[in-house]
């Protein structure tokens, strides 16, 4: 059997029982990259030599009967997460050639768990975007339809997992960048509670919203990756110092009596009818599994987009001030220091420049109270909406994205239509909730649709279990994208 079509969980079993080796699997993935990643372009950097060394070391440990949670499993890391000795660009020319001297917390966690790191996946520049089209390097293609985007900003990670180019991957989600690409690529993507995973070594976009998330082909795979990534570390002062539960053991598949809220405000106008039908059918399926479905209200939903697009650019403008040609990455020399800074900062792409301008404006004297100050107040109202809803329900179910994957080039010149791709995911980042996207069907054109499940603070186990129960009752995760398949007809039969 082709190892690249297997799940992380199956592979872990096969490795532990000596049925295959990490080197064999890693080589199979690297071969598949040679075959199809020139077209998909999910990776910016492929660390093939290092991956094979890590795989050989894992095999040696497996042969000695050693065991760690991801021993010998090949995974991918979004290129906004620092990897010691491996170029980390954040999808930007301003960090081209930047080789971090240390590993991010999450990367250390992966290494400690025995994972094999295949490389760094494509991202919109500084994770600003919903399609990877804002990457300074190239646009990743959606493995389900190569004329379409994979979503973003963690589009490289989602596409790699969907196409069998990694068994799991790390992403980051500031406003939807794990869940939305997961939905576009038919994989599972989890955005944990703010603070659940230390962000030490993750290049900052908007510090009050950023969080690392995990991708897997199945819920169990996504949970296995999350299990390893989750944790506290003193070097991130926002990390939550509370024990990490056993997420994998929480996947019982029993959701009888689980109270599921459907937000009234998420089912109004503008949604693709195929998406709405699939999400409604998924909610019926949760009810058939014993969940109690009821309506809830998140009345300040309409403010999420404007609030996010004030707070995120404001924080970004402050975070990105450090790229001045002195401390990181390339330096474009000018006559005086100020010229150097100007010329170097011209390396930022158009979307990053737009955000810096928006953010600087919103923070400037005279406008601060009118924009940033008011956005913070509205954020509190959005947060309270969720707190109120969670007094009545255990989880909230909604679409992940209002549409399926759009065409490459279709929205890139219309920032507002691009921003709307995250209309259902942004609120969660503004609150203290966690959320995931799980595949829930395909539209008329065969493009994937995602169901978003949102949980209260630190209730990742609850949403993962609900997603697992749903997944076990539905066929969607068995479908593989047509790319690189010997027989394309296999891709359409569940
Ligand atoms: N698409 C949103 C943005 O461009 C969210 C990005 C993210 O979550 N990193 O800001």
């Amino acid at each position: 059997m082709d190892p690249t079509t297997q799940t992380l969980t199956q592979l872990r079993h096969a490795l532990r029982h000596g049925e295959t080796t990490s080197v064999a699997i890693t080589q199979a993935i690297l071969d598949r990259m040679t075959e199809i990643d020139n077209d998909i372009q999910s990776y910016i950097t492929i660390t093939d030599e290092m991956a094979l060394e890590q795989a050989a070391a894992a095999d040696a440990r497996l042969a000695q009967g050693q065991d760690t949670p991801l021993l010998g499993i090949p995974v991918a890391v979004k290129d906004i997460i620092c990897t010691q000795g491996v170029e980390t660009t954040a999808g930007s020319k301003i960090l081209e050639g930047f080789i971090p001297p240390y590993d991010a917390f999450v990367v250390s966690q992966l290494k400690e768990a025995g994972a094999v790191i295949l490389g760094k996946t494509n991202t919109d520049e500084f994770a600003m975007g919903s399609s990877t089209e804002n990457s300074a390097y190239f646009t990743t293609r959606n493995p389900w339809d190569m004329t379409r985007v994979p979503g973003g900003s963690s589009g490289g990670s989602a596409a790699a997992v969907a196409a069998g180019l990694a068994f799991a991957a790390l992403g980051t989600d500031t406003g939807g960048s794990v869940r939305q690409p997961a939905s576009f690529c038919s994989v599972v993507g989890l955005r944990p509670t703010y603070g659940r995973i230390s962000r030490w070594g993750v290049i900052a976009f908007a510090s009050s919203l950023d969080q690392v998330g995990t991708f897997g082909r199945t819920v169990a795979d996504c949970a296995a990756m999350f299990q390893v990534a989750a944790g506290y570390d003193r070097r991130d002062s926002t990390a939550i110092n509370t024990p990490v539960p056993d997420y994998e053991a929480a996947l019982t598949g029993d959701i009888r009596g689980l109270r599921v809220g459907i937000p009234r405000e998420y089912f109004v106008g503008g949604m693709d009818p195929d998406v709405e039908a699939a999400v409604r059918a998924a909610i019926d399926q949760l009810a058939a599994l014993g969940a109690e479905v009821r309506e809830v209200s998140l009345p300040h939903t309409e403010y999420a987009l404007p609030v996010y697009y004030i707070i995120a650019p404001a924080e970004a403008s402050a975070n990105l001030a450090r790229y001045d040609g002195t401390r990181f990455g390339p330096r474009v020399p000018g006559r005086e220091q100020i010229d150097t800074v100007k010329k170097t900062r011209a390396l930022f792409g158009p979307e990053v420049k737009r955000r810096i301008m928006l953010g600087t404006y919103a923070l400037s004297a005279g406008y601060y109270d009118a924009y940033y100050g008011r956005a913070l107040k509205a954020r509190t109202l959005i947060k309270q909406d969720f707190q109120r809803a969670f007094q009545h329900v255990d989880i909230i179910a909604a679409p992940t994205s209002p549409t399926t994957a759009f065409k490459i080039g279709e929205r890139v010149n219309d920032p507002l239509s691009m921003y709307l791709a995250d209309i259902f995911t942004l609120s969660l980042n503004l609150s203290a909730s966690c959320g995931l996207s799980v595949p829930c069907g395909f539209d008329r054109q065969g493009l994937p649709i995602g169901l978003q499940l949102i949980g209260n603070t630190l209730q990742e186990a609850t949403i993962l279990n609900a997603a697992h129960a749903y997944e076990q009752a539905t066929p969607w995760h068995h479908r593989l994208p047509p790319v690189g398949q010997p027989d394309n007809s296999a891709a359409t039969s569940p």
Side-chain angles (χ1 to χ4, degrees), residues 127-130 153 172-177 205 308-309 355 422:
M128 297 175 190
S130 309
S153 61
T172 57
D173 187 317
T174 302
S177 280
F205 160 14
Y308 175 87
Y309 278 99
R355 304 272 178 124
D422 299 301

Side-chain angles (χ1 to χ4, degrees), residues 38-315:
N38 280 338
D39 297 326
I40 300 179
Q41 301 206 284
S42 54
Y43 284 86
I44 294 182
T45 304
I46 297 172
T47 49
D48 44 358
E49 276 177 29
M50 195 180 82
L52 286 167
E53 275 167 28
Q54 289 171 343
D59 284 335
R61 288 172 58 196
L62 281 159
Q64 290 165 4
Q66 286 185 33
D67 203 1
T68 46
L70 295 179
L71 191 53
I73 310 272
V75 301
V77 175
K78 184 179 182 180
D79 205 24
I80 200 162
I81 301 175
C82 288
T83 38
Q84 184 174 13
V86 176
E87 186 180 9
T88 300
T89 68
S92 182
K93 288 283 174 194
I94 214 158
L95 279 175
E96 194 168 24
F98 169 59
I99 300 191
Y102 61 90
D103 278 327
F105 170 81
V106 269
V107 172
S108 313
Q109 295 282 101
L110 289 180
K111 287 186 177 170
E112 223 164 273
V116 169
I117 297 176
L118 294 161
K120 308 296 295 288
T121 54
N122 195 22
T123 167
D124 287 290
E125 187 172 4
F126 287 99
M128 297 175 190
S130 309
S131 68
T132 73
E133 290 167 291
N134 296 336
S135 164
Y137 298 92
F138 40 74
T139 297
T140 300
R141 290 166 192 275
N142 190 315
W144 293 89
D145 176 344
M146 304 287 266
T147 67
R148 291 177 188 269
V149 303
S153 61
S154 314
S157 286
V161 171
L165 299 176
F167 291 94
L170 293 179
T172 57
D173 187 317
T174 302
S177 280
V178 166
R179 289 158 289 154
Q180 184 257 14
S183 147
F184 280 15
C185 292
S186 202
V187 296
V188 181
L190 169 71
R191 194 280 189 190
T193 307
Y194 182 79
R196 175 70 286 185
I197 302 180
S198 164
R199 298 174 300 174
W200 164 257
V202 178
I203 294 172
F205 160 14
S207 302
S208 77
L209 302 160
D210 294 343
Q211 176 61 189
V212 176
T214 57
F215 292 95
R217 225 168 286 166
T218 62
V219 175
D221 289 5
C222 180
M225 189 71 165
F226 175 49
Q227 189 75 54
V228 166
Y232 170 76
D233 156 25
R234 276 191 302 120
R235 296 167 300 178
D236 173 0
S237 60
T238 64
I240 302 174
N241 191 0
T242 178
V244 176
D246 189 339
Y247 297 112
E248 296 188 71
L251 304 181
T252 62
D254 182 0
I255 57 163
R256 282 170 300 175
L258 185 79
R259 296 166 305 164
V260 180
I262 312 302
R264 193 181 305 149
E265 295 78 6
Y266 282 44
F267 289 88
V268 285
M271 206 193 308
D272 177 334
D274 288 0
V275 171
E276 173 155 7
V279 171
R280 290 210 185 268
I283 292 164
D284 290 346
Q285 180 67 57
L286 291 173
L289 290 165
E292 290 169 25
V293 177
R294 57 183 79 163
E295 194 176 77
V296 291
S297 177
L298 299 170
H300 298 94
T301 296
E302 62 175 309
Y303 300 114
L305 192 84
V307 165
Y308 175 87
Y309 278 99
I310 292 172
I311 294 178
E315 295 181 5

